[in-house]
Amino acid sequence: MIEVTNLVKRYGDHTAVDHLSFKIEKGKIYGFLGPNGAGKSTTMNIITGYIASTEGKVVIDGHDILEEPEQAKKCIGYLPEQPPLYFDMTVLEYMKFAADLKKIPKSKKMSMIQEVMDMVKISDMKNRLIKNLSKGYRQRVGLAQAVLGYPEVIILDEPTVGLDPKQIIEIRSLIKDLKEKHTVILSSHILSEVSAVCDYVLIISHGKLVASDTPENLGRLAEGSNNLSMLIKGEKNVIREGLDKVEGIKDISLEESSEENTWRVKISTEENMDIREKIFYSMAYVQCPILEMQSKKVSLEEIFLELTEGDGNSAEKDEEKAPGQENQDVTDSAEVHDVNETASEISEEDSGDFQEEDRDMVNAENTENGEKGE
Amino acid sequence: MTAIYKREVKSYMTSMIGYLFIFFMLVLTGIYFTAYQLLAAYPKFEYTLSSMTFAFLIGVPLLTMRVLAEERRQKTDQLLLTSPVSVGEIVLGKYLALVTVYGVAIAITCTYPLIMSKFGEVSFKTAYTAVLGFFLLGCANLAIGVFLSSITESQVIAAVLTFVFLFAFYMMSGISSFFSKTSVSTCIAFGLLIFALSMIFYTMVKNIIISAAVCIVGEVALIIIYVINSSFFEGGIQKFLEIFNISGHFDSFTNGILDVTGIVYFLSVIAVCLFLTIQSISKRRWN
């Protein structure tokens, strides 16, 4: 349906979209997910032909957006971030204008406008001036404009921004209804929205596609790595040997804690299984008391954050690693040590959730490096 | 195109601005008509129109300032540019709507020679030739306004720019008399112009070799022409600036001449300005 290959958009030195490629298939709802400034709107503006790309190609239903813009644009209904409304028109006038722009035949025009207005529930407002409408109604008029003419693809840029919770639910169910006849692409920086509405999620960060999958698969990915954080008293070797006997552990990391002869142990399990009891008995067997145990599920949100925010860092790291392979372990361990220090400093001051998360990430890095060292 | 045309005309007629423009033109015509035709009993309507060319300096910016600038500011251009309508159709639709509003004022003005004919003998041919010339002059000015509105998203900047350009064009015959008519000074002026143009060319293509080559080729050609036939350049600055003397091309219409070069000139101005408008909108998409 839509094929995007190697899309690049540069504004001077700034690269807003960086070699983005993906395919959109018929009859599904796609979600563009990414933090603010990730390049979602730019990508949508390029797909709809509002701005041109620096490099790359967009083909819609076999029509290249630059070579055959009119045929390509006919397949698309677009609701930009700010609904493109003329404030001096009434809703009905605006809908008629949009119908004429889309070259809808006169015979179908009025019935189609009525249908679409009923669909988004703006029929009562049809004689009101758009400038007198509330934000929610303006959004609906914009949506009606995008749906008008029943184009094959409907592209919605942050359709629920600025709406009240009731309106959000209504708009979402409306989008779900659109799925029957149309392919829908919507963008959002709200994860719950995307996972509630979309069949397929494309996560974009710094203009790059960092992940694309169904929300279920992304969720499974999240469930796959459960974490346990424990505080265990005893000898380091004894604890490690004891833990090695427990099945289903993927990663173990041990680090000294502030208390004497106690260790902060981080475990990530392989599958969605509960091994807390096993660990308890195993530790009891080697006589190392567990002082604290916390089970933590990695949510979809954390994956999203890690993918979008961590992405820049990991890329930099890779570049750093590439030239000097020999010094790698030294520099890395030093780096991690520094981070650990700051992390523990922070947690001493304030042991909020956020810091804990930070530390978790650091620990994950730590184990990664440890494995490589071996 | 018809969709945009209809919307624009309707928008001028539901807001103040269309009426304000027509009101402004009719008040000025009325004042001059009263002074020359009704009180002084002068039978030539051309005379009234030729005194009125300054009206465009205020009227045109008033009408054209919002035409594309506002579209961009309100982001409604996203709707137009993502619909299956070409940029040319958008610009043409908007331009024709402006011409329609202006045409309403002209149509009312067309009744004035008829009123005069009630009281004496009037040459309809010369009067309506002048009306045609006046209409084309206005259309050319509107095209300039449309182009200047497309390069900015601020209505105020668009209005000021349009006024400044129209004023400079209006004063062009005076401005051109500032310059010396000798072939040496003309040659130097053209040399500087070629240099300036190649500098602009450089900012666009960012290639020093090509722009330097263009500059050198131009300057050398200029010197060769000067050496072969120096009298070629006499009064050259004036001839060059005459191109921009838009209202000057209206003069022969006021003398009752159906000036074909004038008609071609006005149509060319319109075509060039609308072409530049399309280019400036398309260029923005690539930035």
Side-chain angles (χ1 to χ4, degrees), chain A residues 33-161:
Chain A
L33 187 62
N36 292 328
K40 300 183 298 265
S41 293
T42 312
T43 310
M44 289 187 154
N45 279 337
I46 294 170
I47 295 174
T48 53
Y50 177 58
I51 53 175
S53 58
T54 318
E55 283 170 41
K57 222 169 141 184
V58 177
V59 179
I60 297 150
D61 212 9
H63 306 289
D64 190 302
I65 191 77
L66 289 176
E67 280 157 24
E68 300 170 279
E70 280 174 45
Q71 280 94 326
K73 284 171 186 174
K74 258 188 190 165
C75 309
I76 290 179
Y78 182 34
L79 170 65
E81 209 167 352
Q82 188 184 335
L85 305 173
Y86 291 98
F87 289 172
D88 58 347
M89 291 173 116
T90 66
V91 173
L92 190 61
E93 277 171 352
Y94 178 76
M95 292 304 288
K96 281 185 189 166
F97 172 59
D100 288 343
L101 271 184
K102 295 184 177 202
K103 301 186 175 141
I104 295 169
K106 271 222 167 83
S107 52
K108 288 187 202 160
K109 196 169 99 177
M110 284 319 289
S111 61
M112 201 183 271
I113 288 174
Q114 195 54 50
E115 244 176 79
V116 172
M117 287 201 305
D118 288 341
M119 191 196 278
V120 300
K121 295 182 186 125
I122 50 171
S123 302
D124 302 340
M125 301 286 163
K126 66 181 178 187
N127 292 322
R128 293 262 288 266
L129 275 179
I130 290 175
K131 72 173 161 206
N132 296 335
L133 293 182
S134 68
K135 168 85 178 128
Y137 272 107
R138 284 182 190 174
Q139 193 76 23
R140 283 180 207 214
V141 176
L143 187 64
Q145 171 272 121
V147 177
L148 194 66
Y150 303 122
E152 285 168 66
V153 185
I154 294 173
I155 298 182
L156 311 168
D157 197 350
E158 310 214 337
T160 56
V161 160

Side-chain angles (χ1 to χ4, degrees), chain A residues 49-50 52 73 80 86 93 103, chain B residues 10 71 77-78 81 84 285:
Chain A
Y50 177 58
K73 284 171 186 174
Y86 291 98
E93 277 171 352
K103 301 186 175 141
Chain B
K10 205 167 183 186
E71 204 86 48
D77 61 341
Q78 278 192 317
L81 292 172
R285 298 172 58 204

Side-chain angles (χ1 to χ4, degrees), chain A residues 84-362:
Chain A
L85 305 173
Y86 291 98
F87 289 172
D88 58 347
M89 291 173 116
T90 66
V91 173
L92 190 61
E93 277 171 352
Y94 178 76
M95 292 304 288
K96 281 185 189 166
F97 172 59
D100 288 343
L101 271 184
K102 295 184 177 202
K103 301 186 175 141
I104 295 169
K106 271 222 167 83
S107 52
K108 288 187 202 160
K109 196 169 99 177
M110 284 319 289
S111 61
M112 201 183 271
I113 288 174
Q114 195 54 50
E115 244 176 79
V116 172
M117 287 201 305
D118 288 341
M119 191 196 278
V120 300
K121 295 182 186 125
I122 50 171
S123 302
D124 302 340
M125 301 286 163
K126 66 181 178 187
N127 292 322
R128 293 262 288 266
L129 275 179
I130 290 175
K131 72 173 161 206
N132 296 335
L133 293 182
S134 68
K135 168 85 178 128
Y137 272 107
R138 284 182 190 174
Q139 193 76 23
R140 283 180 207 214
V141 176
L143 187 64
Q145 171 272 121
V147 177
L148 194 66
Y150 303 122
E152 285 168 66
V153 185
I154 294 173
I155 298 182
L156 311 168
D157 197 350
E158 310 214 337
T160 56
V161 160
L163 302 183
D164 67 41
K166 188 168 165 272
Q167 289 170 328
I168 289 177
I169 291 165
E170 279 176 7
I171 294 267
R172 276 185 196 167
S173 70
L174 194 67
I175 292 168
K176 277 187 181 164
D177 293 343
L178 288 175
K179 187 177 130 180
E180 283 164 25
K181 289 181 194 162
H182 313 269
T183 308
V184 182
I185 305 174
L186 62 91
S187 80
S188 178
H189 57 261
I190 306 157
L191 188 114
S192 59
E193 179 167 295
V194 169
S195 55
V197 176
C198 300
D199 301 319
Y200 205 83
V201 182
L202 301 149
I203 299 182
I204 296 175
S205 171
H206 302 285
K208 285 180 193 149
L209 193 65
V210 289
S212 65
D213 216 328
T214 57
E216 290 80 23
N217 280 350
L218 284 176
R220 216 166 284 150
L221 196 75
E223 283 168 8
S225 54
N226 284 358
N227 289 324
L228 281 178
S229 172
M230 294 175 292
L231 199 63
I232 304 176
K233 194 168 183 178
E235 291 298 319
K236 187 178 179 179
N237 293 341
V238 179
I239 296 172
R240 193 174 266 276
E241 271 164 34
L243 286 173
D244 281 343
K245 284 173 195 153
V246 181
E247 280 173 38
I249 294 178
K250 206 163 69 178
D251 276 322
I252 305 173
S253 80
L254 282 149
E255 52 172 289
E256 258 177 290
S257 79
S258 46
E259 283 175 68
E260 203 183 320
N261 203 25
T262 54
W263 302 85
R264 171 69 58 187
V265 183
K266 277 274 302 182
I267 290 173
S268 59
T269 59
E270 234 147 51
E271 268 145 59
N272 195 17
M273 57 193 289
D274 197 352
I275 57 164
R276 283 175 297 182
E277 280 181 38
K278 284 185 191 168
I279 288 173
F280 170 79
Y281 288 122
S282 160
M283 286 297 107
Y285 184 73
V286 292
Q287 299 208 325
C288 295
I290 299 172
L291 306 178
E292 246 176 51
M293 186 191 279
Q294 234 176 9
S295 168
K296 208 158 161 224
K297 227 177 192 182
V298 179
S299 68
L300 210 52
E301 242 108 20
E302 275 171 88
I303 285 200
F304 169 59
L305 280 174
E306 206 168 309
L307 283 170
T308 52
E309 281 168 7
D311 178 59
N313 296 334
S314 65
E316 276 169 29
K317 236 183 176 178
D318 286 345
E319 278 166 27
E320 275 174 19
K321 274 179 190 173
Q325 284 287 328
E326 286 165 37
N327 296 334
Q328 183 193 324
D329 290 335
V330 185
T331 46
D332 272 355
S333 53
E335 213 173 84
V336 168
H337 185 68
D338 282 355
V339 179
N340 280 344
E341 263 181 16
T342 42
S344 52
E345 269 170 36
I346 293 165
S347 59
E348 269 167 28
E349 280 169 28
D350 176 14
S351 58
D353 281 348
F354 189 71
Q355 269 78 27
E356 218 158 64
E357 267 174 35
D358 260 4
R359 219 159 60 179
D360 289 351
M361 277 171 75
V362 169

Side-chain angles (χ1 to χ4, degrees), chain B residues 27-45:
Chain B
V27 164
L28 284 183
T29 324
I31 290 170
Y32 281 95
F33 182 71
T34 311
Y36 290 131
Q37 265 82 50
L38 298 183
L39 298 178
Y42 192 68
K44 287 194 167 176
F45 187 57

